[in-house]
Amino acid sequence: MVVRRSRHRLLALLCGVLAALTLTTPAVAAPERAGVTRPEAAAGWLARQLVDGERFEVVFDGVAYPDQGLTLDAVFAFAAAGAADDYGADALAWVTRPDVRDGYLGDGVSEAYAGATAKLALAVQVRGGDPADVGGVDLIARLRSLQTPDGRFSDRSAYGDYSNAFSQSFAILALDRTALGAPPAAAAWLAGTRCPDGGYPLLPAQPVCSSDVDATALATQALRAAGRPADAAAGVRWLVSVQGADGGFTNVAGTPNANSTGLAAQALRDGHRPLAWARARGFLAGLQLGCAAAPADRGAVDFDGGGFDPATAPRATAQAVLGLTGTGYARLSATGADSGAPAPTCP
């Protein structure tokens, strides 16, 4: 009898969570009602923000600089949503243009960045390309050349080593898709950075190991892909333990936000935590702008619900799409994605 009642409570909780994903406020309900899914609506808005339909830029002191990292986040978001495939193709073509590519990765001789190299290699793979020949550059060989004897992928630069958990995780995820797979030493090094509470830090070897939501979300996916499920599970348990009552996640300090929640939600579904993922997805849905918003903003995902900010919305939306779909980086593919930038049709 106790078991039966427990099952009933679990089913009731699941139904309540699922209902929360559809019974939303009028501001966010429009994408679903119009036959456009939330991820599609978000991807459509993101596509329309690309400069010249191909890139994102960051502005400092009135000067626009290319933002290759955010542009690749959009490529991943389009693949996850299965939408804006033509925009994804143009965005990747821009990032792989020699001048843009080398400004991001380095020249490969005196300057080479592990995280950027790995992220671009993964994006090429997601779109079905060959990362061993990107405009004549073998990204896989370059990435492997940046692995140190202890398994860590490090930058080669006169400006210093900026590699971190993201660099290591993207390197493992990209190399796992190759014939040789990810080096066991690389996964072992990443697993060895785990904090006592089960999460993973952004930077290793700090005086105090401080678990980071974003880093843990990436690390757990990389470790699972590399065949270390126990190390990945520890990180997922930590993510569940720090999830807010509203389903959201915050990183270090501040309010729950779409960026951290998007990455954490992706890791939760990839880590087989459907209820926690559903709660996180509900939080993200609550930040998505619908028919109550200005037409140009519909489909976007606000950073933290504190007021729509066009400056933070592109990254928030790109990472929110990953959480809304829950498709892990290891399984991400643009195959079969539709072209065009879908938008909700409002009354």
Side-chain angles (χ1 to χ4, degrees):
M1 185 65 70
V2 173
V3 174
R4 186 176 296 113
R5 284 199 297 268
S6 297
R7 287 174 177 168
H8 288 167
R9 284 196 294 271
L10 180 59
L11 287 172
L13 174 61
L14 179 59
C15 289
V17 171
L18 293 176
L21 299 181
T22 54
L23 299 177
T24 53
T25 64
V28 297
E32 302 287 3
R33 282 204 312 269
V36 175
T37 67
R38 294 187 185 286
E40 289 170 345
W45 179 85
L46 190 65
R48 292 188 291 276
Q49 309 315 303
L50 289 166
V51 177
D52 295 334
E54 65 177 8
R55 68 187 183 275
F56 279 105
E57 298 176 340
V58 60
V59 178
F60 287 113
D61 294 330
V63 179
Y65 298 91
D67 192 336
Q68 295 95 327
L70 179 55
T71 304
L72 291 179
D73 286 335
V75 171
F76 293 136
F78 299 150
D85 189 58
D86 45 343
Y87 289 89
D90 290 344
L92 188 61
W94 174 77
V95 178
T96 55
R97 206 174 72 190
D99 58 324
V100 178
R101 178 199 64 205
D102 293 349
Y104 182 50
L105 307 181
D107 60 13
V109 180
S110 62
E111 193 175 15
Y113 297 101
T117 303
K119 190 172 183 179
L120 180 56
L122 181 61
V124 171
Q125 292 166 323
V126 165
R127 289 206 51 81
D130 180 7
D133 184 8
V134 178
V137 173
D138 187 339
L139 297 181
I140 299 303
R142 182 181 295 188
L143 183 58
R144 291 188 185 277
S145 76
L146 296 175
Q147 186 179 6
T148 60
D150 64 356
R152 179 178 182 174
F153 289 91
S154 296
D155 298 335
R156 183 167 60 240
S157 170
Y159 302 103
D161 183 3
Y162 300 98
S163 62
N164 52 36
F166 273 64
S167 308
Q168 194 76 11
S169 298
F170 275 127
I172 292 171
L173 287 163
L175 293 175
D176 182 68
R177 293 189 181 219
T178 66
L180 294 178
W189 184 90
L190 181 59
T193 67
R194 192 171 77 231
C195 296
D197 60 11
Y200 288 83
L202 178 62
L203 298 173
Q206 298 300 303
V208 177
C209 192
S210 179
S211 294
D212 179 279
V213 168
D214 299 30
T216 300
L218 264 291
T220 58
Q221 296 183 61
L223 290 166
R224 184 173 297 103
R228 299 186 70 109
D231 294 308
V236 172
R237 285 194 297 271
W238 179 79
L239 286 174
V240 172
S241 76
V242 297
Q243 187 174 23
D246 58 0
F249 287 83
T250 184
N251 210 11
V252 183
T255 59
N257 61 78
N259 294 39
S260 293
T261 304
L263 293 176
Q266 180 190 36
L268 289 171
R269 191 183 187 198
D270 190 64
H272 311 296
R273 292 298 188 106
L275 288 179
W277 169 65
R279 291 178 58 227
R281 187 179 186 273
F283 174 84
L284 294 169
L287 295 178
Q288 188 171 26
L289 280 66
C291 290
D297 299 336
R298 293 170 185 168
V301 177
D302 184 48
F303 175 69
D304 62 2
F308 184 68
D309 182 355
T312 60
R315 194 176 306 277
T317 301
Q319 295 185 338
V321 171
L322 300 178
L324 288 169
T325 66
T327 304
Y329 280 113
R331 296 178 291 111
L332 203 58
S333 173
T335 301
D338 294 327
S339 296
T345 302
C346 297

